Amino acid sequence: MTVSIIPLEGIREARPGDDVVELLTGGLEVSRVTLQEGDVMVVTHKLVSKAEGRIVELGADPEAHRDLIIREASAILRRRDALVITETPHGFVCANAGVDRSNVAPGRAVLLPVDPDRSARRIRARLLNAFGITVGVVITDTFGRAWRHGLTDIAIGVAGIPAIVDHRGTLDTFGNTLEVTEVAIADEIAAAADLVMGKARGIPAAVVRGLELPVHDGSASDLVRHPSDDLFR
C-alpha cells in the first residue's frame, strides 16, 4: 500500500460565516487536485473554528487569556506557572483548554469548535453533495503528549472513517493473538498530514490518499480514554 499526502494551497483566511467546503474547493482547484473515492480530507481546526465564529477578542487585558481558558475548561487538572492542563467539554485533556493565540490577529484567540465531530460530518456531507465523492474527514489540532517532548497533530473531529482500528483477537506474523492492539488511525492521519501543512506554511488542509479504510461512522470521542481507565488521574 502506498499513501500520498497532498497539501491544498491557495486557501484564503477563513472568516466567520464562511462555507468551509467552498474554501476547500478553492484549494483543490489551485492545487489541481481531484478528489477520489476513499480520500481523507484533513482540515486544521483553525479553518473550521474561524468559519464557525469561534474567535474571541482579548484586547489588552493580561488576565483575559487566563479567564478565557478557565471558562472553556470543564476541569483544571494541573497548573505550573502559566501552563494549565485542562479537560475540555469534549473530553480532551490538553493545555489551556485548546485556547490558541497563534495564526490569528494580535489581541484575539481561537477556540475549539463546539462539536468537532459534527463539524466533520457536515464537511463530509457537503463534499459528497458538491463532488459526488465519498471521503473521510479529519479535523485536527496540535497537542502535547504525556511522557514525550514535542507537539504533534491529533484528530479532534472524525467522519466517514474509523477513529480506531481494532486488531484485538487477530494474529500477528508469529501466530500470537493480539490482545491490546488498537491503532489510533485518525491520529496517525492527522500527524501525517501535518508534515505537508505545518504551522507556518499557511496550508490548513491536505488530502490523504491510498489508505483503503472502510466507510465507518467514526468519532473523535472514540479516542478519548474514560477517566475510569486513566491510571494517571
Side-chain angles (χ1 to χ4, degrees):
M1 179 176 67
T2 299
V3 177
S4 302
I5 309 169
I6 309 165
L8 298 186
E9 301 185 31
I11 298 175
R12 66 165 174 80
E13 179 79 6
R15 296 184 291 265
D18 277 341
D19 184 327
V20 172
V21 172
E22 286 186 5
L23 298 177
L24 295 174
T25 298
L28 289 165
E29 292 173 352
V30 169
S31 304
R32 299 182 180 179
V33 176
T34 301
L35 283 179
Q36 299 179 8
E37 289 283 341
D39 283 349
V40 180
M41 178 68 77
V42 183
V43 188
T44 64
H45 95 83
K46 287 282 181 62
L47 186 74
V48 176
S49 292
K50 290 176 181 178
E52 293 181 353
R54 297 283 285 162
I55 303 171
V56 175
E57 297 284 350
L58 296 176
D61 182 359
E63 302 298 325
H65 182 231
R66 184 198 63 185
D67 293 343
L68 181 59
I69 290 169
I70 293 172
R71 189 166 75 239
E72 286 296 302
S74 61
I76 305 296
L77 304 182
R78 296 286 189 277
R79 288 179 184 267
R80 180 182 294 172
D81 301 323
L83 176 64
V84 183
I85 301 301
T86 61
E87 182 175 352
T88 72
H90 320 81
F92 307 141
V93 175
C94 59
N96 299 333
V99 175
D100 197 339
R101 293 183 289 181
S102 64
N103 290 313
V104 67
R108 291 182 170 183
V110 180
L111 312 180
L112 296 177
V114 173
D115 187 339
D117 282 325
R118 183 178 62 192
S119 299
R121 291 193 297 270
R122 184 183 301 119
I123 292 170
R124 181 172 184 263
R126 289 275 289 109
L127 288 170
L128 175 61
N129 184 63
F131 298 101
I133 298 293
T134 301
V135 302
V137 174
V138 174
I139 296 174
T140 71
D141 193 13
T142 303
F143 274 42
R145 300 158 299 160
W147 310 303
R148 296 183 71 84
H149 288 294
L151 305 172
T152 188
D153 272 23
I154 69 164
I156 65 167
V158 177
I161 61 169
I164 293 176
V165 175
D166 190 350
H167 292 299
R168 292 175 299 178
T170 63
L171 301 180
D172 66 14
T173 55
F174 291 93
N176 301 306
T177 300
L178 299 175
E179 298 180 355
V180 297
T181 305
E182 296 177 277
V183 178
I185 188 69
D187 282 345
E188 292 185 332
I189 292 169
D194 187 53
L195 293 172
V196 301
M197 296 191 296
K199 300 295 176 289
R201 298 191 184 108
I203 300 176
V207 173
V208 178
R209 178 170 293 166
L211 286 171
E212 301 177 1
L213 293 171
V215 176
H216 184 79
D217 190 20
S219 166
S221 62
D222 298 337
L223 295 159
V224 176
R225 190 183 298 278
H226 191 275
S228 64
D229 297 327
D230 190 338
L231 298 179
F232 299 94
R233 285 208 228 178

